Amino acid sequence: MSVLNNTDEQIKPVPVMELYLFGENTLEKHHITSTSQISQYITQPYKLWLNVCGLDNAPILQDIAKIFSIHPLTLEDIQNTNQRPKLEEFDEFVFITAKMIFTKSGLEEIITEHISLLFGHHFIISFQEKPDDIFDAIRVRLENPSGKMRKLGTDYFTYTLLDMVVDQYYKLIELIGERNEVLEDGIIGDNKNIKLADIYLHRKALQDIRKSTWPLREILSAWKKSDHPFIKKKTSVFINDIYEHTVEILESLELQRETITSLVEIYMTHLSIKQNEVMKTLTIIATIFIPLTFIAGIYGMNFKVMPELEWKYSYPLIWIIFITTTIAMLYYFKKKRWF
Amino acid sequence: MSVLNNTDEQIKPVPVMELYLFGENTLEKHHITSTSQISQYITQPYKLWLNVCGLDNAPILQDIAKIFSIHPLTLEDIQNTNQRPKLEEFDEFVFITAKMIFTKSGLEEIITEHISLLFGHHFIISFQEKPDDIFDAIRVRLENPSGKMRKLGTDYFTYTLLDMVVDQYYKLIELIGERNEVLEDGIIGDNKNIKLADIYLHRKALQDIRKSTWPLREILSAWKKSDHPFIKKKTSVFINDIYEHTVEILESLELQRETITSLVEIYMTHLSIKQNEVMKTLTIIATIFIPLTFIAGIYGMNFKVMPELEWKYSYPLIWIIFITTTIAMLYYFKKKRWF
Amino acid sequence: MSVLNNTDEQIKPVPVMELYLFGENTLEKHHITSTSQISQYITQPYKLWLNVCGLDNAPILQDIAKIFSIHPLTLEDIQNTNQRPKLEEFDEFVFITAKMIFTKSGLEEIITEHISLLFGHHFIISFQEKPDDIFDAIRVRLENPSGKMRKLGTDYFTYTLLDMVVDQYYKLIELIGERNEVLEDGIIGDNKNIKLADIYLHRKALQDIRKSTWPLREILSAWKKSDHPFIKKKTSVFINDIYEHTVEILESLELQRETITSLVEIYMTHLSIKQNEVMKTLTIIATIFIPLTFIAGIYGMNFKVMPELEWKYSYPLIWIIFITTTIAMLYYFKKKRWF
Amino acid sequence: MSVLNNTDEQIKPVPVMELYLFGENTLEKHHITSTSQISQYITQPYKLWLNVCGLDNAPILQDIAKIFSIHPLTLEDIQNTNQRPKLEEFDEFVFITAKMIFTKSGLEEIITEHISLLFGHHFIISFQEKPDDIFDAIRVRLENPSGKMRKLGTDYFTYTLLDMVVDQYYKLIELIGERNEVLEDGIIGDNKNIKLADIYLHRKALQDIRKSTWPLREILSAWKKSDHPFIKKKTSVFINDIYEHTVEILESLELQRETITSLVEIYMTHLSIKQNEVMKTLTIIATIFIPLTFIAGIYGMNFKVMPELEWKYSYPLIWIIFITTTIAMLYYFKKKRWF
Amino acid sequence: MSVLNNTDEQIKPVPVMELYLFGENTLEKHHITSTSQISQYITQPYKLWLNVCGLDNAPILQDIAKIFSIHPLTLEDIQNTNQRPKLEEFDEFVFITAKMIFTKSGLEEIITEHISLLFGHHFIISFQEKPDDIFDAIRVRLENPSGKMRKLGTDYFTYTLLDMVVDQYYKLIELIGERNEVLEDGIIGDNKNIKLADIYLHRKALQDIRKSTWPLREILSAWKKSDHPFIKKKTSVFINDIYEHTVEILESLELQRETITSLVEIYMTHLSIKQNEVMKTLTIIATIFIPLTFIAGIYGMNFKVMPELEWKYSYPLIWIIFITTTIAMLYYFKKKRWF
């Protein structure tokens, strides 16, 4: 997987970059258009949050990598949107890459974005695929001079970013729970509008979310056990909290998966029950009328010598045969509990 | 998951609070209406049990949190009724949050309540969602001056509260076992009243209970391994006992889950067997009478030249054909063991 | 789970108690009718086996508990016939509780009994639910003065008791294996006498045995790892032996469970195959004769103007049509490999 | 499980015993008929391989046990052909018991034999059920004076015996793989000759082999970790090799099990597809002709007043109705993609 | 498994061998035709990569083994194309054997090749089955004098070879993902062209890849934990990267396996739904027309005395009966929601 060496790329759009300088008494926001600006701000005695939105312009990302001395393989992880979530510790920073899964409208439009977070002694860098993000609440909280985000270290800052990410998972879980109930009502209530494809796609959405959540748990577990100097004891209670949330999300997903499995089973059984009913109807009708039709057929024959045809009471007699046969059949089916 | 910062809430009902002061020779019960009362009792040289019923009034809960120096994240866990059960150790107290699952009437009305227990050196606090609880036996046992509840530490007291909670699980398990037997009798005895939805809902109830029991086991396991100063060796035998109960509950749930799975399988197979029977009935009748009807149809044709029609013994002959064909068919089905 | 405090019980039958005093040169058997007798024998310089059959009379059991200083929770475990098997170590003795599963006639009548074993420095106590037990071989071996039971410690004695219990599991496994073969022959040989309920109940019996065996393995594993002073190195080879037996029993159960699962699958498939056959028969007959009947029906119509009716060779012609149609159909079915 | 004490047995056949004395320069082969001979050879300064074929004659086995000081429980493990494979270390020797599974003709005749291997400082004993064995290659290699078998220790010798055993598993796996392909071709190619019972028995054979292989892996794993003085570092590379083979066998078995499971699934689905086809044929024929027959039936009625019967063009008209109805039906089925 | 001793083999083709001598300033490529050439180059002060393509000529491989002092069992692992992937550490070198899985055209032609890699202090040897390989990119990168391949150690070189191998897995995974989508579209869109055999073979391909990937992960995990002197810290970041790739491949495979399982389920359910539809069509038609045909049959009887036949309005009346019966039936089916 060597994505790095392709230097001959076309001109790609410059990523949208915003840079916050902040301390207990300071908060400055700068829009960055060239990487040289970053080098300039990095020397100032404040903490720095660089939010980079857009991963297509390799040269600019490489410049940023040089400024913060990011290893080429790590840069590759940042750029590779298929990268599995993980946490890696380096001397200069801690590197986290994860998946943001969120929706703006509903389950039909789940957006999955690759996000990378790096935090060093006094800087945090976040890389996202697109400018449109879920960090507005962060920006608001950053404006509060007495808030923890300004006072505590870069690890706490990174925690709040991760917390935003995990919160979005929660919201999805809730939406999935609601959809599950719709499916449940539809299947148990035998609503015709439930389509198999719906269940299939629903199950697939669950799978996707689980695929991203599982390594998230590993990341947080690694953080909990880490003794990296930039990870302070003070934030451990927060990390524990977010860790439990991922555990809860995973358990919910597991439960919902089981629920879907039983729903599919119910669906199949419903089909069998209905088919059984259809077959019974056919069988009852056919079993009663086919023999009767045969009897009628007999006396529709044109043989010259058929004594019954001449008898006076043949016709009422045959009606008695028709009716008693029918009653006997119905009694038999009743006894067999077919209806 | 930041539930804390919403300070602008409407006026919420004050929780129902009762406070017990007790020692080997003392037992006082107070109804608390304002949090200032608590501060007053806390200084007295007795052990204190504060039972708070109602989690909606955030300011009052925050006052209590301040009095007992409860961390905001822990308070959040107390208020968040979706919080996953867990045990956390702090310097000042041990914090446990769990699910109370109980029923007053039957399996139709399972009540799930979020409960939090905190015990420090000389106090126990229990937070419940609603005043209506399962702790009446505790109140009675507390009145016994020579009982262990008065003599032993706050960890033993918390154990008895947890024991009450686990006892309710046991009762549910029994009810579920009974329901299982009803379903079993219904399905094996081929009773028509068993509905698929019943099985589905039954299985879902099992899932819910298991979801709450699993972390309960983890809590008790953590307690067993804990060396927190408030957790004394003396209570370890009791905790072991309750731990085994949760293990037993989980095993029972697992067994009942397997039982339901085989029941569904049996149900499906019953359906297939019945369908087979229906099909055989149809096939036997149709296979016998359709050819006969054809034969009768032949001699119902109105061709001018049909020599058989003129013969004298055609009619008895055709009856012989009818009867031998039928006997041959029946013999064939008998040989195939269709009935 | 507080079963202890109900002191107001009705008079319950006194348990059947037998007491053996034994040493290398001594063997005395006493029938105990009151607990005071036990206190008297306990002081003698012999090893002592007290076998208590019957758990209903709480006061007597409490007396015994006092004599041997058994903790109330342990006594509760002895009395609670739903107690999960376990091994607990105390200073004065090692406590084991398990399930005896045995049958006197066959798989129809599996008896499950709760059994508790306690061994101290010089005593063994066994508590059973009913007098009727599986320890006769023990009594015989005890009479052999040079046997290991007389020479070795109380741990070896307890081992032999447990060995008897596990032996009964073996016998059940064999019976289950035989039943499995009966089911297998029935299903593969397509014997009609196999009922679904049989398979279901068979599977349930497996579950029950497994439920009791699993913790037995844990008990023996705990014994193996134990460094309790009453558990001597010399018996470790025997415990290892019995431990392996439980492992083997569990593996056999697992295999038989898998076997049953595939049998059910075979059963279901057999049903489908048969249904397929039934359907084919119906379809062949109906597909051949329904069109023929229609043709016959055409010439049974009474239209005034139907030229064919007047023709001379209509009737033989129609027979040719009947026969060629039938042959064509049969050829088609043959080509489709329907028979 | 006390198989030992039954001393009153009938005279059982003496096992076939061969004894090899070997050193770097020596190789003697002796046929043993009485155990006293063994005692005589054991004192000689050579390594010794005693191969005992036949486990029925308890007294002779007990004599051998005495000569090599084998513990009664170990002897029981040697004799008990249901004994689970295991490795046990004693001061005087290492004891291994395993299952030989091999076939001389094909999968129809899999022979399972209980084999026990013991190796001490200068002796190896192998116990088999029957004289007919798989060790001929060993005998040949032993004759090579410069071979490792003559030079290296008893652990290497035992390794070669085990290697022979595992080799037979490999051959079985290959046969099973071939059979799998036959089943696969049969089911996917929709060959009628595949019977469900074949699949079932095939799956059962897999189970049996797995049951024996699993503990084999444990044995070799225990050997690898062992620091018994008779197990030398030099053989570790060989043991590692054989260990990997068992891992590979287990993985192959697992894969083949999965393959069979999907084959059964395919088989079931094929059944459903065929049934669907049968049903469609029936439905198409019946749906076309039953209404037509009804129409023909109408004009077969004998009412006096039926104006259509008198009309001149009734008959051609009714043919037009027949034909258009049929074409409409066929078009409908075509549109529904039924054929 | 002794493949070694068969010395009497026919003349096998000499493997294609290429040898690279390289240092920071040197790069020589030699085509080797006899093993004596190798001995000559090995003494030169450069690093050496020997690429051997073809495993059939045992004597030549044995010569190479002698030159590099490769253990006979290791040589066996190199030659045995069924060898399970593994990593083994020796004093002179580290040995890795793995499976190359790649395709040149598409999923129809997956090529699996056994590859073995050995790296010592200054040499790397790669053994492949066939000359046609995936290492062209390596050859190009080797020509770059300032590239890491020339500067870093033999472990880095081996890493790049392994990276090539794992890259091919990635490409396969992508192809499989695409195929999955084709199947998905086919099954959900109810496309008739999807054959069961396709799904089965697709699932089998997944199994095969997984079988090779799983041990690959173990190999890389072992490398990560290794403290062999030839494995330098500097390459650990690269190995970590490739390790994560295998984890990702395995997770993708797992996800795709689940997807296929649900697809098969959907397929089965589709079949059931269609069968249900077919049955309903048949039942509706039969249930309407069979009774009507019976009625028509009645009045086709030729009894002398049948008063209805004489009535004037019998015929219109019977039409009214026909039509109302049909409407009633259709209403009934509508109410049952059959269409």
Side-chain angles (χ1 to χ4, degrees), chain D residues 141 159 163 167 170 181 184 188 237-238 240-241 244-245 247-248 251-252 255 258-259 262-263 265-266 268-270 272-273 275-276 279-280 282-283 286-287 290-291 293-294 297-308 329 332-333 336-339, chain E residues 1-2 71 73 76-77 82-84 86 88 90 190-192 196-197 200-201 203-204 207-208 210-211 214 218 257 264 267-268 271 274-275 277-279 281-282 285-286 289-290 292-293 295-296 299-302 308-312 314-315 318-319 322:
Chain D
R141 285 171 69 184
Y159 148 73
D163 194 32
D167 253 21
Y170 254 107
E181 272 168 42
E184 189 181 313
I188 290 189
V237 61
F238 298 102
N240 216 32
D241 192 61
E244 276 161 21
H245 290 170
V247 171
E248 216 178 313
E251 286 185 356
S252 290
L255 266 181
E258 280 183 34
T259 304
S262 4
L263 279 176
E265 211 174 61
I266 296 283
M268 295 287 281
T269 315
H270 258 305
S272 288
I273 291 174
Q275 179 130 343
N276 229 352
M279 290 306 303
K280 274 182 195 164
L282 173 60
T283 303
T287 308
I290 287 180
T293 306
F294 165 62
I298 292 171
Y299 296 104
M301 291 191 296
N302 299 318
F303 289 114
K304 277 272 146 65
V305 186
M306 279 182 76
E308 297 98 317
M329 290 283 193
Y332 174 80
F333 294 137
K336 283 234 165 183
R337 302 177 62 190
W338 283 15
F339 57 92
Chain E
M1 293 295 289
S2 42
H71 190 281
L73 276 175
E76 210 180 291
D77 291 344
N82 293 318
Q83 175 60 39
R84 193 173 174 271
K86 68 172 172 180
E88 269 183 330
F90 296 91
D190 192 17
N191 188 329
K192 275 213 156 186
L196 263 183
Y200 176 76
L201 293 173
R203 176 141 61 177
K204 237 187 146 181
Q207 264 189 4
D208 286 351
R210 198 173 46 143
K211 196 193 169 184
W214 201 254
E218 286 168 29
R257 205 164 67 123
V264 170
Y267 189 92
M268 294 287 281
L271 274 182
K274 273 195 218 162
Q275 179 131 342
E277 224 175 80
V278 170
M279 290 307 303
T281 310
L282 173 61
I285 293 291
F289 287 102
I290 288 180
L292 299 188
T293 306
I295 295 169
Y299 295 105
M301 292 191 296
N302 298 318
E308 297 99 317
L309 295 182
E310 319 296 327
W311 298 347
K312 205 178 172 185
S314 286
Y315 184 57
I318 210 127
W319 268 109
F322 287 160

Side-chain angles (χ1 to χ4, degrees), chain B residues 141 148 159 163-164 167 170 174 180-181 184 188 237-241 244-245 247-248 251-252 254-263 265-270 272-273 275-277 279-280 282-284 286-288 290-295 297-308 329 332-333 336-339, chain C residues 1-2 5 71-73 76-77 80 82-84 86 88 90 189-193 196-197 199-201 203-204 207-208 210-211 214-215 218 257 261 264 267-268 270-272 274-279 281-282 285-286 289-290 292-297 299-303 308-316 318-319 322:
Chain B
R141 283 171 70 185
K148 292 204 195 86
Y159 148 74
D163 195 34
M164 288 291 124
D167 253 23
Y170 254 108
E174 255 170 60
N180 250 11
E181 271 170 42
E184 189 180 314
I188 292 190
V237 61
F238 297 103
I239 287 303
N240 215 32
D241 193 60
E244 276 160 21
H245 290 168
V247 171
E248 216 178 314
E251 286 186 354
S252 289
E254 202 49 48
L255 265 181
Q256 285 174 350
R257 205 165 66 123
E258 281 183 32
T259 304
I260 292 178
T261 303
S262 5
L263 279 176
E265 210 174 62
I266 296 283
Y267 189 93
M268 295 287 280
T269 315
H270 257 305
S272 287
I273 292 174
Q275 179 131 339
N276 228 353
E277 223 176 80
M279 289 307 303
K280 274 183 196 165
L282 173 60
T283 303
I284 289 170
T287 307
I288 290 173
I290 287 180
L292 298 188
T293 306
F294 166 63
I295 295 170
I298 292 170
Y299 296 104
M301 291 190 298
N302 299 320
F303 290 115
K304 279 271 145 64
V305 186
M306 280 182 75
E308 298 99 316
M329 290 283 194
Y332 173 80
F333 294 137
K336 283 237 165 181
R337 301 176 65 190
W338 283 15
F339 59 91
Chain C
M1 294 295 288
S2 41
N5 298 14
H71 189 282
L73 276 175
E76 208 181 292
D77 292 342
N80 174 12
N82 293 320
Q83 176 59 41
R84 196 175 174 266
K86 67 173 172 177
E88 270 183 329
F90 296 90
D190 192 19
N191 189 327
K192 277 215 154 183
N193 297 324
L196 264 182
I199 300 176
Y200 177 76
L201 293 173
R203 177 141 61 178
K204 235 184 150 184
Q207 264 190 3
D208 285 352
R210 197 172 48 142
K211 194 192 170 186
W214 201 254
E218 286 168 28
R257 207 165 66 123
T261 303
V264 170
Y267 189 92
M268 295 287 281
H270 257 306
L271 275 182
S272 288
K274 272 196 219 161
Q275 180 130 340
N276 228 351
E277 224 175 82
V278 170
M279 288 308 303
T281 309
L282 173 59
I285 293 291
F289 286 103
I290 287 180
L292 299 188
T293 306
F294 165 62
I295 295 169
Y299 297 104
M301 291 191 297
N302 299 319
F303 289 115
E308 298 99 315
L309 295 181
E310 318 297 327
W311 300 346
K312 206 178 172 185
Y313 297 106
S314 287
Y315 184 57
I318 209 128
W319 267 110
F322 288 160

Side-chain angles (χ1 to χ4, degrees), chain D residues 118-159:
Chain D
L118 264 117
F119 65 96
H121 181 59
H122 70 294
F123 63 86
I124 307 104
I125 319 178
S126 51
F127 294 91
Q128 306 177 52
E129 284 186 54
K130 279 171 207 152
D132 190 24
D133 73 11
I134 56 174
F135 291 154
D136 284 336
I138 298 285
R139 293 185 187 95
V140 171
R141 285 171 69 184
L142 205 49
E143 280 170 18
N144 175 11
S146 63
K148 291 205 195 85
M149 300 204 67
R150 293 272 278 272
K151 283 183 187 156
L152 293 180
T154 53
D155 55 342
Y156 181 80
F157 197 103
T158 310
Y159 148 73

Side-chain angles (χ1 to χ4, degrees), chain A residues 1 82 84 86 88 200 203-204 207 210-211 268 275 279 299-302 309-310 314-315, chain E residues 167 184 188 240 244-245 248 251 255 258-259 265 269 276 279 301-306 308:
Chain A
M1 295 294 289
N82 293 318
R84 193 171 174 270
K86 67 172 172 179
E88 270 184 329
Y200 176 76
R203 177 142 61 178
K204 236 186 146 182
Q207 265 189 2
R210 200 175 43 144
K211 194 193 170 185
M268 295 288 280
Q275 179 130 342
M279 290 308 303
Y299 295 105
M301 291 191 297
N302 299 320
L309 295 182
E310 319 296 326
S314 286
Y315 184 58
Chain E
D167 254 22
E184 190 180 313
I188 291 189
N240 216 31
E244 275 161 21
H245 290 169
E248 216 178 313
E251 286 185 355
L255 266 181
E258 280 184 34
T259 303
E265 211 173 60
T269 315
N276 228 353
M279 290 307 303
M301 292 191 296
N302 298 318
F303 289 114
K304 278 273 145 66
V305 186
M306 279 182 75
E308 297 99 317

Side-chain angles (χ1 to χ4, degrees), chain E residues 6-268:
Chain E
N6 42 353
T7 50
D8 55 342
E9 32 190 314
Q10 326 96 284
I11 298 148
K12 291 287 175 58
V14 173
V16 176
M17 293 179 281
E18 53 180 351
L19 187 150
Y20 286 82
L21 283 178
F22 62 96
E24 289 204 28
N25 306 311
T26 323
L27 179 67
E28 289 174 28
K29 181 176 177 175
H30 303 276
H31 274 282
I32 305 290
T33 47
S34 93
T35 49
S36 57
Q37 288 173 279
I38 301 169
S39 325
Q40 177 186 335
Y41 292 120
I42 208 170
T43 54
Q44 302 201 9
Y46 301 118
K47 272 176 251 163
L48 178 157
W49 173 32
L50 175 65
N51 186 23
V52 182
C53 299
L55 305 175
D56 290 331
N57 192 312
I60 286 184
L61 292 184
Q62 280 164 24
D63 284 354
I64 296 172
K66 260 174 227 152
I67 293 168
F68 293 95
S69 52
I70 298 170
H71 190 281
L73 276 175
T74 304
L75 183 58
E76 210 180 291
D77 291 344
I78 289 167
Q79 289 174 286
N80 175 11
T81 57
N82 293 318
Q83 175 60 39
R84 193 173 174 271
K86 68 172 172 180
L87 177 144
E88 269 183 330
E89 301 178 14
F90 296 91
D91 287 347
E92 301 84 7
F93 51 78
V94 175
F95 172 66
I96 293 168
T97 178
K99 298 289 167 217
M100 262 191 314
I101 304 193
F102 60 101
T103 177
K104 297 233 146 116
S105 49
L107 281 177
E108 277 69 32
E109 248 184 292
I110 295 177
I111 300 160
T112 305
E113 240 182 79
H114 181 59
I115 184 171
S116 304
L117 304 172
L118 264 117
F119 65 97
H121 181 58
H122 71 294
F123 63 87
I124 307 105
I125 319 178
S126 51
F127 294 92
Q128 305 177 50
E129 284 185 55
K130 280 172 206 152
D132 190 24
D133 73 10
I134 56 175
F135 291 153
D136 284 335
I138 299 285
R139 294 186 186 93
V140 171
R141 284 171 69 184
L142 204 50
E143 280 169 18
N144 175 11
S146 63
K148 291 204 195 88
M149 299 204 67
R150 293 271 278 273
K151 285 183 187 157
L152 294 181
T154 53
D155 55 341
Y156 182 81
F157 196 103
T158 310
Y159 148 75
T160 57
L161 296 176
L162 271 177
D163 195 33
M164 289 291 125
V165 171
V166 172
D167 254 22
Q168 299 298 322
Y169 280 80
Y170 255 108
K171 284 173 194 161
L172 276 179
I173 291 290
E174 256 169 60
L175 285 172
I176 282 179
E178 285 165 21
R179 172 76 64 95
N180 249 12
E181 271 169 42
V182 169
L183 287 175
E184 190 180 313
D185 286 356
I187 287 173
I188 291 189
D190 192 17
N191 188 329
K192 275 213 156 186
N193 296 324
I194 300 301
K195 282 180 200 141
L196 263 183
D198 290 351
I199 300 177
Y200 176 76
L201 293 173
H202 188 51
R203 176 141 61 177
K204 237 187 146 181
L206 269 181
Q207 264 189 4
D208 286 351
I209 298 174
R210 198 173 46 143
K211 196 193 169 184
S212 302
T213 317
W214 201 254
L216 210 62
R217 205 186 72 134
E218 286 168 29
I219 288 172
L220 291 160
S221 175
W223 184 323
K224 277 170 73 178
K225 286 183 216 135
S226 169
D227 52 358
H228 194 282
F230 297 162
I231 290 174
K232 281 148 206 157
K233 283 239 155 146
K234 232 172 182 170
T235 45
S236 77
V237 61
F238 298 103
I239 288 302
N240 216 31
D241 192 62
I242 201 177
Y243 172 77
E244 275 161 21
H245 290 169
T246 55
V247 170
E248 216 178 313
I249 290 168
L250 284 168
E251 286 185 355
S252 289
L253 285 170
E254 203 47 50
L255 266 181
Q256 285 174 350
R257 205 164 67 123
E258 280 184 34
T259 303
I260 293 178
T261 303
S262 2
L263 278 176
V264 170
E265 211 173 60
I266 296 283
Y267 189 92
M268 294 287 281

